[in-house]
Amino acid sequence: MSAFTLDDRLAGDSLAVLDLDLCTVRLMNDARYPWLLLVPMRADVTELVDLGADDRLRLIEEIAGASKALKAVSGCDKLNVGALGNMVPQLHVHIVARFVGDAAWPGPVWGVGAAEPYPDGAGRELAERLSQAVAREIQ
């Protein structure tokens, strides 16, 4: 079995937030939507069913905690949660904070415009606030 490594595309499109028991949590570098990625730190996992039963349960708990934290920090109107994996096969879960009237509302965020990177320091500051909020939610 190989060791876990984060897909290069996920790493390049996001900022580190924190590592949980199962997942590494990342903030997408797109200021249009506060958007977390949870990536299970397991090698060669592409589908939810590739995780063992305990890891699947842990993933749900980490998604719930990260979702609560994102909602609290962003003040969003709605959360979108999904695991697509069509472009990057490594299993990862998107948690996207949505606002009525945002650039893609009410449709999905994928394929709508180009990502707008956070201005200098803003992404890191948000990642730190989210790190603290997620850590409070997941104990």
Side-chain angles (χ1 to χ4, degrees):
M1 179 186 275
S2 59
F4 169 79
T5 55
L6 182 63
D7 180 273
D8 289 341
R9 183 165 177 178
L10 296 179
D13 290 347
S14 64
L15 305 166
V17 175
L18 80 162
D19 288 343
L20 301 171
D21 288 344
L22 176 64
C23 294
T24 185
V25 180
R26 312 278 303 179
L27 173 65
M28 286 295 289
N29 191 14
D30 187 349
R32 298 173 304 158
Y33 319 98
W35 179 346
L36 292 175
L37 295 176
L38 274 66
V39 185
M41 294 181 287
R42 300 292 186 260
D44 306 319
V45 172
T46 59
E47 306 295 342
L48 182 62
V49 297
D50 294 339
L51 293 172
D54 290 342
D55 280 349
R56 285 194 305 269
L57 292 172
R58 185 75 209 148
L59 178 59
I60 292 298
E61 291 303 314
E62 291 183 3
I63 290 169
S67 295
K68 287 180 185 178
L70 181 59
K71 187 169 186 171
V73 168
S74 72
C76 65
D77 299 310
K78 180 74 175 101
L79 292 169
N80 292 171
V81 179
L84 304 174
N86 296 338
M87 300 295 289
V88 175
Q90 182 175 48
L91 179 61
H92 59 288
V93 177
H94 301 265
I95 305 172
V96 186
R98 300 297 305 275
F99 299 88
V100 173
D102 69 30
W105 188 265
V109 298
W110 291 275
V112 176
E116 296 175 13
Y118 285 98
D120 291 343
R124 283 285 1 122
E125 189 273 332
L126 179 56
E128 181 55 35
R129 287 185 17 227
L130 287 165
S131 175
Q132 293 170 11
V134 171
R136 283 192 301 271
E137 291 293 338
I138 301 175
Q139 301 164 0

